[in-house]
Amino acid sequence: MIEVSNLGKSYGRVQALRNVEFEIEQGEIVGLLGPNGAGKTTIIKILTGYLQPDEGTARVNGLDVTKNRLETQAQIGYLPENAPLYKELSTQEYLKMIADLRMIPPEERLRCISEAARATQIEDQLTRPIGHLSKGYRQRVGLAQAILSRPKLLIFDEPTVGLDPTQIVEIRRLIKRLAERSTVLFSTHILSEVEALCDRVIILMNGEVRADARLSELATSPNAVLTLQAPVKNIQRQLNRIDGVESVQKFESSDGYPSYRIAASPETDLCPALYQLSREQGWSAREIKRDARTLESVFNELATSG
């Protein structure tokens, strides 16, 4: 559905994107994650035809965004960070205007508006002026206009920014439902947003793709953690002798017991060797486990690694 190749974009002397490459398959929900200024919004503006890249290409459903801007936009439902709502219009008047701009045939407009209102649960807000709606309902109206033409691709830029916790949960559920019939790409700098909605994440740092993987893959680590009942002399030297061990770091577990985080080379499972060594040496091991990583720890590793 999306193919991005060697994408670059600068604003004067500031290079916003450098050699960005990724692909998104039909039906995926992908989070574009990164700190403020990482280049997330720039990528979205290029994909939606609001900006032209300095180099590289971006394709949506096989169409070059730069060469086929209008045809591409016709296949995209887009909700920018600040939805362009007309507060003096009623919700229904606004959706009728969007249907006209989207060139939805007159005989289909009422059905499309009804479906979008039902999907976003704003049916009882159709006659109210948008300016009288709460922030959460205005965001729903923005989502309704994005899905009005039944697009194949939905792109959301910070869809829950400024919402309270209850509204955030509601919008997340709504996006999950919308993804049942459309590919979804959304940008955010909120880690919990990605964990709640996505199977896959693309992490941007300083305009570059630093990670592109499924969440399950990011959480997988060859490293292991060994927690002992009591300290053992020279244990780090012995741990370093295990095949595949790259480093050993001592730390104190949350309940105060001596623990060791053991980094290993890829495709290595240290747990059997740690269990065997503990038995041979008579160590009182409280726990031997794989060192599971969270999205937060992966993000922090990338942020601090330059």
Side-chain angles (χ1 to χ4, degrees), residues 3-11 15-21 42-43 46-47 51-59 64-66 207-208:
E3 300 173 67
V4 171
S5 177
N6 195 36
L7 209 60
K9 180 66 180 178
S10 297
Y11 301 103
Q15 192 163 9
L17 299 177
R18 300 179 185 85
N19 301 318
V20 171
E21 294 195 6
T42 298
I43 287 178
I46 290 173
L47 288 173
L51 280 178
Q52 287 198 355
D54 296 333
E55 58 185 358
T57 59
R59 295 181 180 274
D64 187 299
V65 174
T66 302
E208 299 178 328

Side-chain angles (χ1 to χ4, degrees), residues 23-43:
E23 293 183 3
I24 296 176
E25 299 295 330
Q26 186 172 348
E28 285 192 288
I29 307 178
V30 178
L32 196 58
L33 178 63
N36 290 328
K40 304 185 300 295
T41 297
T42 298
I43 287 178

Side-chain angles (χ1 to χ4, degrees), residues 12 57 102 158 169 189 193-194 263 272 274 284:
T57 59
R102 284 280 188 175
E158 303 284 359
V169 171
H189 62 276
E193 202 92 281
V194 173
L274 289 172
S284 298

Side-chain angles (χ1 to χ4, degrees), residues 59-60 62-74:
R59 295 181 180 274
V60 171
L63 295 173
D64 187 299
V65 174
T66 302
K67 297 177 181 178
N68 306 278
R69 186 168 60 88
L70 293 179
E71 294 92 334
T72 302
Q73 289 176 335

Side-chain angles (χ1 to χ4, degrees), residues 85 91 94 122 130 133 137-145:
L85 304 177
T91 301
Y94 173 72
I122 57 171
I130 292 174
L133 301 181
Y137 271 116
R138 290 200 299 271
Q139 197 75 336
R140 286 174 180 267
V141 173
L143 286 166
Q145 66 80 25

